[in-house]
Amino acid sequence: MFNNLNFVSRSRIKRVILAAICISLASQVSISTYTLGFTLTLSVFLLPVFLYFNADLNPLVIALGVALSSPLFRGLLLFISHDASNINILQFIMTDMAFYLMYGFLYYVLYWRKSQRNNSIFFLTILLCDYCSNLLEVSLLIHFSNYTYRLFQILFITALIRSLCSCLIIFLYRYFTLLVRDENHEQRYLYFIWVASSVKSEVYFMKKSINDIENVMKNAYQLNQALSQTSLDPKYQTTALNIARDVHEIKKDYQNVISGLGDYFSERNNQPMQLADILRVTTSYIRQSLKKKSHQIVIEVYNQIDLLVVNHYYVVSILSNLIFNSIDALQHQSHGLIKITVSDQGRNIEIDISDNGQGMDAQTLALIFEPGFTTKYNQNTGNVYRGIGLSHVKVLVEEIFAGSINVQSQVNQGTTFKVFLNKGRLINEVDK
């Protein structure tokens, strides 16, 4: 606990020291004006920036650090260069200190300790801090006498310009960081949609597998009953019963997983998406994947339909698997092209995904929609690259969207998948 507190304390001290050093260096860019010792410096552009981005630090501490470093630094340079007498140097140091201490005090009272803060109040605060602090500094130099109207004009115009410039720096930096943050959020959103689509599709097929599991359990139990009527060793009957029980436990585990994931990713917990957004999300994620792998593949999208899709996770899953199937066919192409075309076909929409890849022969075409068929395996290890597969894509198209899918391909010419989805199934929630 105490180590953490010391770390925070050291971190804050470092930030105060950094502010003091930067502002001290910036104070060397200055213009002398009105009276001896009164200079307009670049340092006052930076002070509001440090105050704004270190809102957790007490401005009085920052002002004190700057008040000690910047004037002393200026005084040391004046002393070395012999540009002023020792008395004048001491006077300049004291008036500079007064400027920064006044600035920090006003900022603390007018802005930092207030519960309500916004950009407008911040601008007005630093404008007033700059003006009043400069007025105090010049007043000390002229011994609170010989004021002129021109003096107040110079001080206000100076404070206005410096405050505007400081705010411009602050708000431009904030805008840039927000852009970066939005981009990061979008990347996470794309990844979430991608993962959710995969999970949603897997849950759907897990539900379908429940029937197969029940059949295995039923057959094992019936085998147990049949063995009880024979003179065979009772251990066979016990084995059949154990199989039925084990399969029942597997079924329960499946149902628990399906219940948890199915409820979270159900349509009632997710907002519908425009078809154009589905295409953008899918292709954006895939383009990023291609960029990381340095594949020279261009993905073109031509969409003629504006449709609000309820079961968008399944559409993302269908599109992504077909597009990645095309990418696999383009691995040995120097300039690969994938073209996605969406068109209106009355009651259905047609999605064509074509590539200029290696194509497929007639034997492969006859098998690609068969369960378990794949051409994606590592010849060295024998490991199969797994997705939901084209057979499952076909099931989603037919069962979820009452549609159809077919493929046209020629060796070394390319492949085109044609997917037809029923509009009614796309726009209406269908529990599956």
Side-chain angles (χ1 to χ4, degrees), residues 1-9:
M1 176 178 176
F2 292 104
N3 290 336
N4 291 337
L5 290 176
N6 290 334
F7 172 78
V8 172
S9 177

Side-chain angles (χ1 to χ4, degrees), residues 399-413:
E399 295 188 4
I400 299 294
F401 299 110
S404 62
I405 179 172
N406 58 66
V407 59
Q408 302 169 358
S409 184
Q410 293 183 5
V411 176
N412 298 324
Q413 295 295 319

Side-chain angles (χ1 to χ4, degrees), residues 200 266-267 272-273 278 308-316 400-401 425-432:
K200 182 75 173 177
S266 64
E267 280 74 14
M273 287 181 67
I278 295 174
L308 192 64
V309 179
V310 174
N311 289 317
H312 55 274
Y313 287 136
Y314 294 125
V315 177
V316 172
I400 299 294
F401 299 110
R425 291 292 188 92
L426 286 167
I427 64 177
N428 293 312
E429 183 173 348
V430 179
D431 294 325
K432 288 287 182 181

Side-chain angles (χ1 to χ4, degrees), residues 158-169:
T158 301
L160 180 62
I161 293 174
R162 290 197 296 202
S163 299
L164 287 172
C165 291
S166 297
C167 286
L168 182 63
I169 295 171

Side-chain angles (χ1 to χ4, degrees), residues 237-350:
Q237 179 184 356
T238 302
T239 300
L241 184 60
N242 289 337
I243 291 173
R245 288 173 177 170
D246 291 342
V247 172
H248 178 68
E249 292 301 316
I250 294 173
K251 176 187 173 183
K252 285 168 53 179
D253 292 339
Y254 253 60
Q255 288 174 329
N256 289 335
V257 173
I258 291 170
S259 177
L261 294 177
D263 288 344
Y264 184 78
F265 291 105
S266 64
E267 280 74 14
R268 65 177 177 272
N269 291 331
N270 299 284
Q271 296 296 322
M273 287 181 67
Q274 293 289 342
L275 181 59
D277 291 333
I278 295 174
L279 291 167
R280 181 182 62 82
V281 165
T282 306
T283 55
S284 295
Y285 186 85
I286 293 176
R287 287 189 181 108
Q288 291 172 16
S289 300
L290 292 173
K291 189 182 298 184
K292 292 177 181 178
K293 297 177 182 179
S294 300
H295 288 322
Q296 300 299 318
I297 298 175
V298 176
I299 301 177
E300 297 179 352
V301 179
Y302 303 92
N303 178 31
Q304 305 171 10
I305 298 177
D306 188 15
L307 199 67
L308 192 64
V309 179
V310 174
N311 289 317
H312 55 274
Y313 287 136
Y314 294 125
V315 177
V316 172
S317 189
I318 292 169
L319 289 171
S320 61
N321 277 275
L322 292 177
I323 295 172
F324 272 121
N325 193 77
S326 293
I327 291 172
D328 291 332
L330 292 167
Q331 286 184 350
H332 304 294
Q333 297 285 110
S334 57
H335 294 88
L337 173 64
I338 299 174
K339 187 181 295 184
I340 305 168
T341 306
V342 184
S343 57
D344 194 337
Q345 300 295 330
R347 296 180 59 186
N348 299 323
I349 68 167
E350 179 181 349

